[in-house]
Amino acid sequence: MEIKYSEITKKYGDKKAVDGVNLTLNNGVCALLGANGSGKTTLMRITAGILDATEGSVSLDGRNIKALDSSYRNILGYLPQNFGCYKDFKAKDFLMYMCALKGIDGDFAKKRCKEMLEEVGLTEVQNKKIGSFSGGMKQRLGIAQSLLNEPSVLILDEPTAGLDPKERIRFRNMLCALSKERIIIYATHIVSDITFLADRVLIMKDGKIVADGSPEELIEIAVGKVWSVNVERSELSRIQARYSVGTIKDGDNGFVNVRIVSEGKPFEEAVNVKPELDDVYLYFFGEVSEDAEAD
Amino acid sequence: MIDKQLKETLLLYQVEKPGSEQIEKAKQIVLKNERPIKAPYISAKRVVSSQIQTVSNWFWLFSLMFVFAVVYLSFKINNQLTTLFLCGATPLLSIASVPVVLSNIDASRMELEGTCLIKPQTVFSAKMLICGCFDLIVIIITLLFSSQLSEINIVRSAVLGLISFTASSFLCLGASLIFKTQVAISLVSALYAVVVACFVSMNFLSEKLLEIKMPFLVLAVVINSAMVYAMYSVAIKNYSFEKVAKRFGNKIF
Ligand SMILES: Nc1ncnc2c1ncn2[C@@H]1O[C@H](COP(=O)(O)OP(=O)(O)OP(=O)(O)O)[C@@H](O)[C@H]1O
Ligand SMILES: [Mg+2]
């Protein structure tokens, strides 16, 4: 299957939340990485068909998703960034309700609900009201509902937000176990999720896709731009103002080891190190104030 | 059909004639890709039954209390005025249905419901249908009781009830398009109930009402129904995720 975006632009007033995105997605896991407000949710909503783009169109296998209408929604699974539900519903009832809306009925619906509750580890609380759930539990319920209809297009907007480390790993494994015969798009800020899961990473900035490739290809971008240097602790704030600083490690004698992402060599003594995906993120989003760069 | 089209298309390539095996293979590929493109049919009954559970218990409770109150009152004071008032007092039931209808106008929930097979517009309509039908049933019960006990002809009281039902539905839908909070919308409905009460209690007006010829009353029902339908169309048109999010904000839970 193939989802194609052509010239997708979404304007809120004068502001372009998504700005002329041209993209083709194929089967596999595609991660959308970007800072707050970069337009990820907006793009996801457009893909899910609940938001109309100001310009451009999205098509699935060459057919506009607006024209496909219910046929498209039938194969769609979507987890919104924040979702609301009837808080008086019990977890199980909520999933059954979602099954009804997704056109799944009878014994198959019951079977799917049971399976999904097990997948996300909510079997024990299936008879508790959603209103009493913690943020992470609610998030897991959201993940469960998105998978009920075994979607061919799965859109997840920050699925791991609010999950504890154990649940995060469970989610990762769950996504890995899903058949690859589907398009999975997920937005995230968490770089480590991507390293394990994504076949393809898109980096979004100010509504535009600024980088597109496999995790390895993206890491390639930062080769030769990541530096490690030992500096005096007192210099730290000056360096942070001037460069994109990654991890800082404590050293001896008032020295610290700093990881810097910079086009050129920041210091004489700096040495090139092997980049990681974190560094790529910093490369695109580590804002350095203009005047600091000038001097 | 597919066979013929495929054969013709494959022949366009001007290669040697495709065998039936190749055609079958190509057909399978086409059909496989075609698979997700057909959505199953969902009957209206299933949509409505899925929505019944989302209607708040308060709605059923309020409605039942209303029926009891009405039955009690019509036994207690049985005259034409009570019947008239009962016919007009249905907007009180619309007040009960306001939270039900409004509870669905929630952008964050629409974001979830809006990506399912059943359209959120259909969900919204189903909810309104449930409330409307229940209101209607309650009205019929109350009218049966009250007209038995007073001298007003049952057909006339039914028509009067329908006029009030359609007028209050129109008002409720309209108010839900203009106002954002349940309180404001309930107030509009309550105001309507008060107007009806005053109207009925003014003797000369209610006597006039009882003299109006039936065809005119029926005409009023028809006009009111048309107005409700028009208002419903506007409400549905405004019921998209984007518009609701703009009006109500993206509140959670
Ligand atoms: N309904 C709206 N009205 C006006 N502006 C909006 C609306 N929704 C989003 N925006 C703007 O569009 C831009 C992109 O928002 P979006 O929610 O897509 O970002 P995001 O990448 O998902 O951010 P986050 O990481 O915080 O979830 C933001 O600048 C936001 O202010
Ligand atoms: Mg977002």
Side-chain angles (χ1 to χ4, degrees):
Chain A
M1 274 206 293
E2 178 188 281
I3 288 186
K4 190 163 183 222
Y5 300 83
S6 23
E7 291 297 332
I8 291 289
T9 299
K10 178 72 194 177
K11 282 190 202 157
Y12 288 111
D14 283 338
K15 189 183 158 50
K16 282 183 178 167
V18 174
D19 191 359
V21 168
N22 280 304
L23 196 63
T24 306
L25 298 177
N26 295 97
N27 286 352
V29 181
C30 176
L32 191 59
L33 190 67
N36 291 135
S38 52
K40 301 184 296 297
T41 299
T42 310
L43 191 63
M44 296 283 197
R45 283 176 173 165
I46 291 171
T47 317
I50 48 168
L51 208 62
D52 290 331
T54 318
E55 282 158 40
S57 64
V58 184
S59 54
L60 175 75
D61 290 338
R63 291 188 227 184
N64 194 316
I65 58 167
K66 285 276 155 243
L68 286 174
D69 198 41
S70 64
S71 310
Y72 178 63
R73 289 197 306 272
N74 188 35
I75 56 156
L76 181 72
Y78 176 51
L79 171 71
Q81 186 166 6
N82 295 309
F83 68 94
C85 39
Y86 303 92
K87 55 179 183 287
D88 288 335
F89 270 22
K90 291 171 186 156
K92 200 168 91 192
D93 296 343
F94 169 70
L95 288 188
M96 281 304 282
Y97 175 64
M98 291 310 289
C99 274
L101 288 189
K102 285 170 190 256
I104 311 167
D105 58 359
D107 291 338
F108 185 64
K110 278 186 200 137
K111 185 173 146 264
R112 281 302 287 167
C113 288
K114 194 162 165 272
E115 278 170 8
M116 291 326 300
L117 282 168
E118 259 162 42
E119 283 278 9
V120 297
L122 289 177
T123 311
E124 269 153 48
V125 289
Q126 59 177 326
N127 287 320
K128 288 233 168 77
K129 284 191 177 172
I130 300 175
S132 70
F133 276 19
S134 74
M137 282 155 89
K138 204 172 144 238
Q139 187 73 2
R140 274 143 64 195
L141 193 63
I143 294 171
Q145 67 76 27
S146 71
L147 291 168
L148 280 173
N149 55 337
E150 299 180 306
S152 310
V153 178
L154 179 60
I155 304 170
L156 304 163
D157 200 348
E158 302 196 15
T160 51
L163 297 192
D164 64 33
K166 187 175 131 247
E167 290 302 333
R168 192 163 286 172
I169 290 168
R170 195 213 290 259
F171 169 75
R172 242 183 242 161
N173 295 340
M174 197 165 100
L175 218 57
C176 277
L178 285 181
S179 129
K180 294 283 178 225
E181 288 299 300
R182 64 184 92 213
I183 301 174
I184 301 177
I185 320 160
Y186 78 98
T188 185
H189 309 282
I190 300 163
V191 178
S192 68
D193 279 350
I194 295 171
T195 329
F196 286 101
L197 277 173
D199 303 315
R200 183 173 174 191
V201 183
L202 302 168
I203 295 183
M204 202 166 179
K205 190 174 183 179
D206 299 332
K208 292 195 179 77
I209 305 287
V210 290
D212 175 1
S214 66
E216 295 77 28
E217 281 168 349
L218 288 198
I219 287 173
E220 205 63 32
I221 295 176
V223 167
K225 289 164 188 152
V226 186
W227 311 84
S228 171
V229 65
N230 286 321
V231 295
E232 277 184 52
R233 185 178 290 277
S234 53
E235 298 227 6
L236 208 51
S237 55
R238 199 176 59 81
I239 292 173
Q240 274 173 320
R242 199 160 163 183
Y243 299 103
S244 307
V245 173
T247 23
I248 300 169
K249 271 190 223 136
D250 251 331
D252 304 325
N253 309 330
F255 273 86
V256 284
N257 178 272
V258 204
R259 199 177 168 96
I260 295 172
V261 181
S262 158
E263 289 278 356
K265 200 172 195 174
F267 296 99
E268 267 314 306
E269 11 359 323
V271 284
N272 243 313
V273 288
K274 194 166 157 271
E276 282 164 20
L277 215 46
D278 279 307
D279 303 314
V280 182
Y281 186 86
L282 272 186
Y283 175 70
F284 284 106
F285 294 101
E287 304 263 303
V288 182
S289 60
E290 299 277 317
D291 41 325
E293 195 131 58
D295 62 46
Chain B
M1 180 67 184
I2 284 185
D3 281 271
K4 189 161 165 275
Q5 276 179 359
L6 268 176
K7 213 177 261 172
E8 280 167 10
T9 314
L10 291 177
L11 279 173
L12 282 181
Y13 289 95
Q14 294 182 336
V15 287
E16 63 178 277
K17 215 171 162 211
S20 59
E21 198 183 315
Q22 278 120 313
I23 291 177
E24 187 55 30
K25 210 166 168 187
K27 199 169 110 188
Q28 287 311 321
I29 293 173
V30 173
L31 286 177
K32 202 172 144 215
N33 286 315
E34 198 72 9
R35 180 192 63 86
I37 302 308
K38 265 248 144 46
Y41 167 76
I42 309 263
S43 69
K45 191 175 138 238
R46 265 177 70 193
V47 179
V48 170
S49 67
S50 79
Q51 287 308 312
I52 282 190
Q53 52 182 325
T54 71
V55 175
S56 153
N57 289 336
W58 288 109
F59 173 69
W60 308 121
L61 194 73
F62 189 94
S63 307
L64 280 180
M65 271 163 48
F66 185 79
V67 175
F68 281 127
V70 162
V71 171
Y72 177 75
L73 276 178
S74 40
F75 272 116
K76 206 74 186 170
I77 15 171
N78 49 47
N79 59 22
Q80 292 192 341
L81 283 189
T82 340
T83 311
L84 269 185
F85 178 71
L86 289 177
C87 298
T90 43
L92 279 175
L93 273 179
S94 302
I95 300 176
S97 58
V98 164
V100 178
V101 173
L102 259 193
S103 78
N104 208 50
I105 309 184
D106 174 335
S108 65
R109 188 153 56 217
M110 271 187 83
E111 199 170 358
L112 208 57
E113 289 180 340
T115 51
C116 293
L117 178 60
I118 301 177
K119 266 199 266 200
Q121 282 89 344
T122 315
V123 167
F124 187 57
S125 309
K127 269 186 206 217
M128 289 197 283
L129 193 71
I130 293 169
C131 294
C133 286
F134 192 73
D135 280 5
L136 213 54
I137 291 170
V138 172
I139 291 165
I140 289 169
I141 296 173
T142 55
L143 285 179
L144 277 180
F145 261 99
S146 52
S147 61
Q148 282 290 309
L149 298 166
S150 69
E151 302 101 68
I152 301 183
N153 171 305
I154 179 123
V155 177
R156 177 173 284 266
S157 61
V159 172
L160 286 177
L162 273 181
I163 290 177
S164 176
F165 173 68
T166 43
S168 66
S169 303
F170 175 79
L171 218 73
C172 232
L173 274 173
S176 76
L177 277 173
I178 298 166
F179 300 108
K180 290 183 188 175
T181 62
Q182 299 190 2
V183 177
I185 300 169
S186 302
L187 274 180
V188 172
S189 304
L191 207 67
Y192 176 69
V194 170
V195 169
V196 170
C198 292
F199 188 84
V200 171
S201 59
M202 276 189 256
N203 269 335
F204 72 98
L205 278 179
S206 51
E207 268 158 29
K208 282 259 154 53
L209 196 65
L210 289 172
E211 280 163 19
I212 298 179
K213 292 248 164 32
M214 270 306 272
F216 289 111
L217 291 181
V218 173
L219 188 69
V221 173
V222 172
I223 291 173
N224 272 5
S225 306
M227 271 163 49
V228 171
Y229 183 76
M231 193 54 102
Y232 164 79
S233 308
V234 176
I236 284 293
K237 215 181 245 160
N238 279 290
Y239 195 69
S240 71
F241 169 73
E242 201 165 0
K243 285 187 176 150
V244 169
K246 214 179 208 163
R247 273 188 69 203
F248 290 87
N250 224 338
K251 61 178 189 258
I252 309 156
F253 259 116

